[in-house]
Amino acid sequence: MGKLEFSNSYTESTELIGYNDDILINVLIRLPGKSLMRFRNVSKHWLSLISSPYFSRCLNQIPIFPSAIFLRMQPSLNKRKYHFLSLDRNAVREPSVRSFTFVDDPAGIRILQSCNGLLLCCSNNRLGEYNRNYYIYNPTTHQYTTLPKPDNRTQGPNTIFGVILAFDPLKSAHYKVIFVRSSETSPHLYQLEIYSSETHQWSFSSEISKVNNFSQGVYCCGGIHWRNNSGSFLRFDVHQERFQEIPMPKIPADWDQQTKCRYFGECGGRLHLILTSCKHSTRQFDVYELKNDFSGWFVKYRVDLNALISANPKMTQSNCHALDHWDYHAFRVLAIVVGEGRGQGSPSPFMVLHVPGKVITYSFKDKTSTLLHDFAPDCTDIEGCTTFEYDDAYPYITTLAIV
């Protein structure tokens, strides 16, 4: 068999790309994250290039979207475990089960939040907030850092009500962590305390009144968003450290203000909200998106689950509520994805749903569903019940960001 021969022009082009860092970077930043991690082993030069802060900054200028989700399982003793579920809708894959052991924390590690590829984690101990460690972890590179304890915090009563990670690689390579803790000035106020990865310093910020749940804040477009007790939303601009109130979406008059929040989350720099009525069918509902000027909401997608419910009769909870007019169906929205990972194009947006025993995707465009994973035969769900809530799902986004 004769040897393969390459033309001089092909060889010259290959050498040009291989030794020109600008061209090479322009090629590499368009590859999937797993390929980048493998290509670090090609040579010492490629390892140095891909591991450099400059390459990370170039990579962060390209918007990326979730390729998988960490799905929190029921705790086993104090060791939290997570399904790692691929969002590849072309094939049903068995999700791997993972626990986080990147640091030897005897209390175990749990995820608090996912933010643009970085995970905010904490130790699982319940011996007091002062003794709890907080970590920023990059699951792509397996790098982590332990947040320092604030110098001005005492070991006295000092409850932490919420911790939020603010990281936007399109704007900065640095991140901030916002703690909401008890105020020393008033029992009716809460103190914001901010850690900056750029300065490695803590600083006090504004005080805030009570919101619905400080632990369920969502970072998007430079601000943290909470649901307010009054029904509106409160936005905290992390950089300007200013508050802004955002009204509720306009809901039908016959809802009688009895709404259930089905989903509140971010993807691709867009904040989404799903509300349903406690008095109406959950077969159809709207997905709201926050306006660019943060002044309110508009209907982005309309959802019709009739075909899905017909194909999954366990979704109907006929014996769940005594009120005949409450047409309730068992499903949980785990994620809304407005695109897929680098190098895979931008297919139509979809929603990740958990129905009894399964995780599926629902296409907003053609109203069809695709099975991602069937938990049977090991599923222990009883008819009409779901295991996971929307705050049990943490998006996985490939990033080489340095923590």
Side-chain angles (χ1 to χ4, degrees), residues 173 234 250 303 306 398:
L234 190 64
K250 293 182 179 179
V303 176
N306 278 297
T398 301

Side-chain angles (χ1 to χ4, degrees), residues 212-226:
N212 190 46
N213 191 333
F214 283 116
S215 65
Q216 293 183 349
V218 178
Y219 176 77
C220 181
C221 297
I224 300 173
H225 304 79
W226 290 283

Side-chain angles (χ1 to χ4, degrees), residues 300-372:
K300 181 67 175 180
Y301 310 109
R302 297 191 183 276
V303 176
D304 188 333
L305 298 182
N306 278 297
L308 178 63
I309 293 171
S310 297
N312 295 272
K314 287 186 177 182
M315 289 179 64
T316 302
Q317 293 187 318
S318 57
N319 61 343
C320 189
H321 202 280
L323 299 178
D324 293 335
H325 62 268
W326 189 353
D327 186 11
Y328 184 77
H329 302 283
F331 69 91
R332 295 292 184 268
V333 181
L334 299 180
I336 291 176
V337 181
V338 297
E340 288 191 355
R342 185 186 302 107
Q344 300 177 21
S346 297
S348 60
F350 62 94
M351 180 169 55
V352 183
L353 295 176
H354 168 47
V355 301
K358 303 175 182 178
V359 175
I360 63 171
T361 63
Y362 172 90
S363 170
F364 292 121
K365 182 178 180 180
D366 55 24
K367 315 297 183 185
T368 59
S369 59
T370 303
L371 178 68
L372 274 184

Side-chain angles (χ1 to χ4, degrees), residues 49-205:
L49 186 68
I50 295 174
S51 303
S52 68
Y54 176 73
F55 183 84
S56 182
R57 288 195 298 271
C58 293
L59 189 69
N60 289 338
Q61 296 308 305
I62 299 180
I64 52 178
F65 303 93
S67 59
I69 56 176
F70 293 102
L71 199 53
R72 179 169 53 198
M73 302 169 62
Q74 296 298 319
S76 175
L77 298 177
N78 64 343
K79 301 295 183 182
R80 292 278 183 173
K81 293 184 178 181
Y82 299 83
H83 292 292
F84 185 73
L85 185 61
S86 171
L87 296 181
D88 181 3
R89 294 175 290 170
N90 296 323
V92 178
R93 298 180 179 180
E94 185 70 20
S96 59
V97 176
R98 300 186 181 185
S99 58
F100 292 100
T101 57
F102 56 84
V103 62
D104 184 17
D105 193 316
I109 303 294
R110 61 188 174 101
I111 303 175
L112 295 178
Q113 179 199 359
S114 170
C115 187
N116 290 313
L118 299 183
L119 298 180
L120 170 64
C121 304
C122 74
S123 53
N124 208 32
N125 68 49
R126 302 179 181 274
L127 300 178
E129 296 292 347
Y130 186 85
N131 297 313
R132 179 171 293 166
N133 291 321
Y134 290 87
Y135 309 96
I136 304 298
Y137 175 58
N138 185 332
T140 302
T141 64
H142 304 293
Q143 296 176 336
Y144 78 95
T145 188
T146 304
L147 294 184
K149 295 283 196 305
D151 295 333
N152 50 9
R153 187 183 301 166
T154 66
Q155 296 194 38
N158 199 351
T159 305
I160 302 297
F161 294 92
V163 185
I164 307 294
L165 171 63
F167 173 60
D168 187 347
L170 296 178
K171 296 181 178 179
S172 172
H174 303 286
Y175 57 83
K176 293 185 177 181
V177 183
I178 292 83
F179 277 62
V180 184
R181 64 179 186 84
S182 52
S183 171
E184 297 178 358
T185 62
S186 171
H188 305 293
L189 295 176
Y190 302 84
Q191 176 74 60
L192 297 188
E193 195 171 6
I194 302 177
Y195 172 79
S196 169
S197 68
E198 182 175 14
T199 64
H200 303 286
Q201 298 293 323
W202 287 91
S203 62
F204 283 110
S205 184

